[in-house]
């Protein structure tokens, strides 16, 4: 099917992102972003499959989506320039990281597409569970965010952003508009004319997630890769990549054998022309002791039934991750989406997030000790590289210095072992200085603990480059830089899609990821004891043969801060040394690599793609 035929058949929904960041190019080169929904791999236990194994659809799913829903669907954000001219020559498919949604790639995707002037598209994948999010409150908040009652200071109680927050918090009354009175939950009217509260899923509503493992996700993405190949043709490029944990997903996909016949190999890497690893080290060796086939089957039964066969093993039969380090993830997702709207549309108003039970209680209350902050300040305190507790949730967005900042030099496990500041109460409204503010405070190395502290820290030297990671592990190093506009990040969190996965399907993927880059022992057991003609439920057997070019980009202030951060994966594949590129962006934090202004990752990826394009016919790949 041609690209134009595909686009004619697939409903495209315009992605509402709020005001787009100013573009450098002329209007006819400005990228557009659209949500595309496609039929996915038909997993038989999933509602809508029509197979004998299909599980009954839980009432909340029907209430949210309608009767007879089909959940075997693929959703992506397509970033492209649709205009007459040269056809698309390359498509980059990107897999988001831990807890992340498709729109987290928006800034990077727009910059890449603009540089290629329509010859490159970026397809940003939204994993399956995102279709089960009730985003009515956030959509209501966004639709009215520019109305006068939201733009006044203070905003009126009828401001849609306040109403969207009240929609979600139905268990705890709180003073959302700071008028001294507690407001209860607010029902809203959905697109079907039903006035209702939020529709939320429980673990038992989603037991079909027990079959949403790597095989299901990978077969979804194989359909995308095949469609991308039809569009670009034999002489074009299809690239696969990801950010953070997305590098584990994408590199494992490359090692997957899609043909269950033991006599036939259909390896993922033979369908792509390269891998793009952003701030993640790729798939590793997995757990020291890998599950036997009996263990695997028992775990799937636990996930499917919700019955914990062995309570002493410390592993629950949860199919999705409900909390992280004591934080309720669904509440964090809803607060984050509405708070991002507030940070964008009401930057100087008192922080909406601090009025919610999520941010007002343990453990977030430990670090958010000031009584009042602006909407932008609260985003910075949660995500900026100087204040965030976790290296996986860090971007260099600026600083707050109009109050005391206590320097914590040893981190706070289990969040992170990285240093951070705790912003204290200044007796008023704490404000935020943007990433490019010339008055951001700096100080000499060693003076970090002198309040109010430093926006730019010197993290010291890297590990010894002559020693392997096993002897001297990579560590955060170098001088930090402020590179990410807060608006670039917050706009990835709201719109037609969002940047957070409410129901992160951890149960079955975690089981599958325990095999790392090699499940051949599981395959051998299945062939010997179950079916000699079928390799079984998980076929990660081709990693050692992966020979496609790889570009790996880390940040010295991130999770892959040195070239050796990628050695474990690169040394496990067959890609020759000249076709492996590793770049470390000095001073970049984990989220900067996909959000930074004038992002230094963009020309690196651009050059990588341009070098590969002339070589595509010679590789002879399928």
């Amino acid at each position: 099917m041609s690209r134009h035929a595909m686009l004619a058949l697939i409903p495209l929904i315009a992605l509402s992102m709020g005001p787009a960041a100013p573009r450098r190019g002329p209007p006819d080169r400005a990228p557009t972003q659209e949500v595309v929904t496609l039929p996915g791999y038909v997993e038989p236990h999933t509602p809508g499959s029509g197979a004998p194994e299909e599980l009954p659809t839980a009432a909340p799913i029907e209430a949210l989506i309608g009767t007879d829903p089909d959940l075997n669907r693929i959703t992506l954000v397509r970033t492209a320039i649709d205009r007459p001219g040269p056809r698309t020559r390359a498509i980059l498919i990107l897999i988001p990281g831990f807890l992340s949604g498709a729109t987290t790639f928006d800034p990077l995707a727009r910059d890449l597409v603009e540089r290629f002037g329509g010859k490159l598209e970026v397809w940003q994948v939204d994993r399956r569970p995102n279709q089960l999010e009730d985003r009515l409150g956030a959509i209501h908040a966004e639709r009215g965010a520019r109305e006068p009652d939201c733009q006044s200071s203070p905003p009126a109680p009828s401001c849609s952003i306040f109403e969207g927050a009240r929609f979600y918090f139905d268990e705890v009354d709180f003073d959302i508009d700071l008028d001294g009175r507690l407001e209860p939950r607010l029902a809203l009217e959905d697109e079907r004319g039903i006035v209702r509260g939020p529709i939320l899923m429980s673990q038992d509503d989603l037991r079909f997630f027990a079959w949403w493992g790597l095989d299901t996700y990978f077969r979804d993405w194989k359909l995308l890769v095949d469609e991308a190949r039809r569009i670009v043709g034999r002489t074009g490029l299809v690239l696969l990549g990801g950010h953070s944990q997305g590098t584990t997903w994408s590199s494992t996909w490359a090692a997957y054998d899609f043909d269950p016949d033991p006599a036939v190999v259909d390896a993922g890497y033979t369908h792509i022309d390269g891998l793009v690893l952003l701030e993640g080290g790729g798939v590793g060796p997995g757990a020291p002791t890998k599950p036997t086939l009996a263990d695997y089957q028992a775990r799937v039964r636990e996930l499917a039934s919700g019955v914990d066969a062995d309570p002493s093993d410390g592993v629950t039969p949860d199919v999705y991750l409900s909390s992280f380090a004591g934080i309720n993830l669904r509440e964090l997702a809803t607060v984050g989406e509405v708070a991002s709207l507030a940070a964008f549309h009401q930057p100087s108003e008192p922080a909406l997030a601090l009025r919610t039970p999520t941010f007002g209680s343990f453990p977030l209350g430990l670090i958010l000790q000031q009584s009042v902050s602006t909407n932008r300040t609260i985003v910075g305190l949660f995500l900026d590289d100087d204040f965030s507790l976790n290296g996986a949730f860090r971007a260099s967005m600026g600083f707050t210095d109009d109050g005391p900042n206590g320097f914590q030099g040893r981190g706070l496990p289990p969040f992170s072992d990285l240093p951070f500041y705790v912003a204290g109460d200044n007796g008023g409204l704490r404000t935020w200085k943007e990433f490019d503010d010339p008055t951001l405070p700096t100080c000499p190395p060693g003076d970090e603990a002198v309040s109010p502290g430093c926006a730019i820290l010197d993290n010291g030297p890297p590990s010894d480059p002559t020693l392997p990671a096993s002897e001297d592990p990579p560590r955060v190093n170098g001088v930090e830089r402020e590179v990410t506009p807060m608006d670039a990040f917050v706009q990835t969190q709201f719109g037609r899609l969002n940047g957070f996965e409410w129901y992160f399907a951890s149960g079955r993927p975690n089981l599958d990821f325990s095999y790392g880059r090699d499940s051949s022992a599981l395959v051998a057991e299945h062939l010997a004891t179950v079916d000699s003609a079928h390799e079984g439920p998980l076929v990660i057997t081709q990693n050692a043969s992966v020979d496609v070019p790889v570009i790996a980009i880390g940040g010295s202030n991130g999770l892959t801060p040195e070239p050796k951060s990628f050695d474990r994966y690169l040394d496990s594949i067959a890609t020759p040394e000249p076709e492996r590129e590793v770049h470390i962006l000095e001073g970049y934090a984990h989220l900067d690599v996909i959000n930074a202004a004038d992002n230094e990752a963009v020309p690196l990826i651009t050059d990588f793609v341009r070098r590969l394009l002339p070589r595509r016919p010679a590789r002879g790949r399928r």
Side-chain angles (χ1 to χ4, degrees), residues 216-247:
T216 295
Y217 284 105
F218 287 176
R219 292 185 187 280
D220 276 350
W221 304 341
K222 174 67 161 51
L223 294 171
L224 290 184
V225 167
D226 290 346
E227 183 58 42
R229 175 64 65 204
R230 282 191 286 270
I231 291 171
V232 302
R234 180 175 173 272
T235 61
L237 293 178
V238 177
L239 305 170
L240 182 68
H243 175 257
S244 192
Q245 192 191 69
T247 68

Side-chain angles (χ1 to χ4, degrees), residues 490-503:
V490 296
Q491 288 186 90
T492 68
Q493 301 303 299
F494 62 85
R496 188 71 69 168
L497 294 181
N498 60 11
F500 201 100
E501 189 167 322
W502 293 22
Y503 305 104

Side-chain angles (χ1 to χ4, degrees), residues 15 27 29-34 77-82 110 113 122 124:
L15 180 60
R29 291 172 62 102
T32 59
Q33 294 184 303
E34 300 166 305
V77 175
R78 173 178 171 264
T79 304
I81 297 176
D82 288 321
R110 285 194 298 259
V113 168
V122 178
Q124 308 155 224

Side-chain angles (χ1 to χ4, degrees), residues 161-186 335 338 351-358 360:
I161 297 176
F162 292 163
E163 292 178 337
R166 288 179 57 193
F167 171 80
Y168 288 117
F169 287 92
D170 58 343
E171 296 177 358
V172 180
D173 292 347
F174 60 110
D175 184 5
I176 196 70
D177 54 9
L178 298 178
D179 64 356
R181 294 176 298 182
L182 298 180
E183 285 88 18
R185 183 192 72 188
L186 178 69
V335 172
V338 180
L352 173 64
L354 284 178
R355 304 169 223 171
T356 66
T358 305

Side-chain angles (χ1 to χ4, degrees), residues 460-469 471-477 561-564:
S463 66
D464 188 338
T466 67
L467 296 177
E471 295 182 32
D472 194 3
R475 56 176 176 261
V476 166
N477 65 90
E562 301 180 33
K564 69 170 72 172

Side-chain angles (χ1 to χ4, degrees), residues 496-515:
R496 188 71 69 168
L497 294 181
N498 60 11
F500 201 100
E501 189 167 322
W502 293 22
Y503 305 104
F504 184 79
S506 56
R508 182 67 178 268
N510 281 356
L511 173 64
D512 292 347
F513 278 136
S514 68
Y515 294 91

